[in-house]
Amino acid sequence: MRALVTGGCGFIGSHVVRSLVADGWEVINLDRMTYAANPANVAEVVRHPRYRFVQGDICDGALVRELVGVADVVLNFAAETHVDRSLLDPGVFVRTDVEGVVMLLEALRERPGTALVHMSTDEVFGSIPAPLEAREDRAFAPSSPYAASKAAAELMIRAYAETYGMAVTVVRCCNVFGPRQHLEKFIPLFTMRALAGEPMPLYGDGMQEREWLYVDDLVEAVRLVLEGLPTVAGVRAVHVGSGERVANRATAEMICDLLGRPRELITPVADRPGHDRRYALDSSRMRELGWAPRRRFVEGLAETVRWYRDHGAAWARTAQGDFARYFERQYGERLGRR
Ligand code: TYD
């Protein structure tokens, strides 16, 4: 089987690329190499005969048509994903997360034999009040430009599936974490700040809950989805969540404790505007298919924190885009350095 993986140099995409190549797949990795992409993420496979890298944009219709034309399945991980950046610069989210998906759909409608697996997010539902869990048929209510761009992409997918009889799988996942995640995201950021003995900027009261899944468990879920791709036209959505919902403050404290750093480093700062209080997925459909996360949050977090402790300094020297400038823009005022 030959997969076209978009965004395969990013965090989740690269974990999937390495897994597929290791298991005999041919993989074409199409990545624009934005700030969030890192060549180090695919260094292990870069010379593999079943791996091909193409630097390019999913908004490039001709390129996408050519690559979709030689693939059995398209896995779309290409996206702008950081909520805070979507507040600073929403336009790029609309372009990549919505227009890019339309380009993929345009190419796919000419290739009825090629399947699409699209990565989406629990954030399309907005905040989910306790004790509710979002089922696959819940109405969208996105709060951030990022979440709205992912919801819009899903609506375009639905429209194409209806109009052209395409069979598409949408994987909506909770917050994913693990080694090689970009430094701007919560767990890597807090781990690196704790390691450096620097203030860890906790938004608002820190009682927002996130559902956390270790990246390897998501890869297993995607692999299971690939084993049972739908043939009937329409959108099949599946929720991939761990069920482990943790308040941000508690996660921050665990990171301090794992590293033996004082919890006083946790520094409340001005909240993110429109910050969702809680995400929670009902993942029973995936569990009925036989999937279950292998790692508890505490285990995955310990492993991740160890990885950043041992490799974080070297990791921070690999491509992290404009992280220093972004950090100053996002946190300078919040941490009172202006
Ligand atoms: P994040 O990793 O940005 O994922 P998302 O916003 O998509 O859930 O953030 C996870 C949680 O951590 C979220 O509730 C926001 C919070 N957070 C902070 O409190 N401080 C920070 O500096 C960051 C990046 C996130």
Side-chain angles (χ1 to χ4, degrees):
M1 290 280 274
R2 186 183 289 150
L4 171 63
V5 179
T6 68
C9 292
F11 168 50
I12 295 173
S14 65
H15 281 271
V16 171
V17 163
R18 292 194 312 276
S19 161
L20 290 175
V21 171
D23 281 351
W25 284 68
E26 275 184 58
V27 173
I28 304 170
N29 175 5
L30 172 63
D31 199 303
R32 185 156 70 98
M33 303 309 289
T34 67
Y35 81 92
N38 191 333
N41 284 347
V42 289
E44 289 103 311
V45 296
V46 86
R47 281 191 184 78
H48 199 287
R50 288 196 310 276
Y51 174 79
R52 180 180 156 208
F53 172 68
V54 178
Q55 181 166 4
D57 189 343
I58 57 167
C59 294
D60 178 344
L63 176 63
V64 164
R65 207 171 304 117
E66 179 197 322
L67 297 177
V68 167
V70 295
D72 300 306
V73 55
V74 177
L75 291 131
N76 184 36
F77 296 103
E80 296 286 341
T81 65
H82 195 42
V83 172
D84 292 325
R85 288 197 189 242
S86 81
L87 301 172
L88 298 171
D89 185 11
V92 293
F93 286 72
V94 175
R95 185 167 186 277
T96 299
D97 299 7
V98 188
E99 291 174 25
V101 169
V102 173
M103 284 301 167
L104 290 175
L105 292 166
E106 277 292 302
L108 279 157
R109 77 186 175 91
E110 294 166 11
R111 314 284 311 182
T114 306
L116 172 62
V117 177
H118 171 76
M119 197 66 203
S120 192
T121 167
D122 55 7
E123 302 195 25
V124 295
F125 301 119
S127 203
I128 305 287
L132 290 185
E133 298 182 324
R135 289 197 347 204
E136 281 84 354
D137 59 359
R138 190 178 176 87
F140 294 164
S143 310
S144 71
Y146 160 66
S149 73
K150 295 300 283 188
E154 284 207 44
L155 292 176
M156 291 307 290
I157 289 170
R158 187 161 299 274
Y160 271 72
E162 285 295 320
T163 306
Y164 302 110
M166 294 161 58
V168 182
T169 308
V170 170
V171 176
R172 294 196 198 109
C173 194
C174 63
N175 282 64
V176 183
F177 71 104
R180 306 175 195 237
Q181 190 169 26
H182 193 279
L183 294 175
E184 70 187 4
K185 294 294 173 74
F186 178 57
I187 287 176
L189 180 74
F190 272 44
T191 303
M192 294 300 283
R193 300 286 294 174
L195 280 164
E198 306 256 29
M200 303 153 77
L202 187 70
Y203 292 155
D205 63 3
M207 295 312 288
Q208 308 85 0
E209 283 178 36
R210 291 294 179 268
E211 180 168 334
W212 290 104
L213 184 70
Y214 190 73
V215 64
D216 287 355
D217 286 317
L218 172 59
V219 172
E220 283 196 16
V222 170
R223 297 297 305 269
L224 193 62
V225 163
L226 286 172
E227 281 168 28
L229 289 170
T231 47
V232 183
V235 179
R236 189 186 62 167
V238 288
H239 285 179
V240 179
S242 63
E244 289 198 84
R245 294 145 202 152
V246 188
N248 291 336
R249 171 167 283 282
T251 301
E253 288 174 355
M254 287 164 78
I255 292 171
C256 291
D257 296 353
L258 283 163
L259 290 169
R261 295 294 197 276
R263 290 180 173 188
E264 287 66 40
L265 288 174
I266 301 168
T267 306
V269 298
D271 206 352
R272 168 190 283 171
H275 197 170
D276 284 328
R277 291 301 285 180
R278 178 176 179 269
Y279 296 137
L281 289 176
D282 175 339
S283 306
S284 41
R285 196 176 278 178
M286 269 311 284
R287 285 169 186 262
E288 278 156 24
L289 291 174
W291 174 84
R294 288 180 196 271
R295 277 185 193 71
R296 308 270 315 163
F297 179 58
V298 284
E299 295 160 0
L301 187 66
E303 209 163 309
T304 304
V305 165
R306 250 197 321 274
W307 188 86
Y308 281 95
R309 187 196 63 198
D310 297 343
H311 305 286
W315 171 247
R317 283 192 296 273
T318 63
Q320 297 292 334
D322 59 349
F323 180 66
R325 199 157 10 107
Y326 166 76
F327 186 88
E328 188 51 37
R329 188 171 175 200
Q330 181 64 19
Y331 299 101
E333 205 170 320
R334 279 189 164 87
L335 290 171
R337 282 206 315 277
R338 275 185 195 167

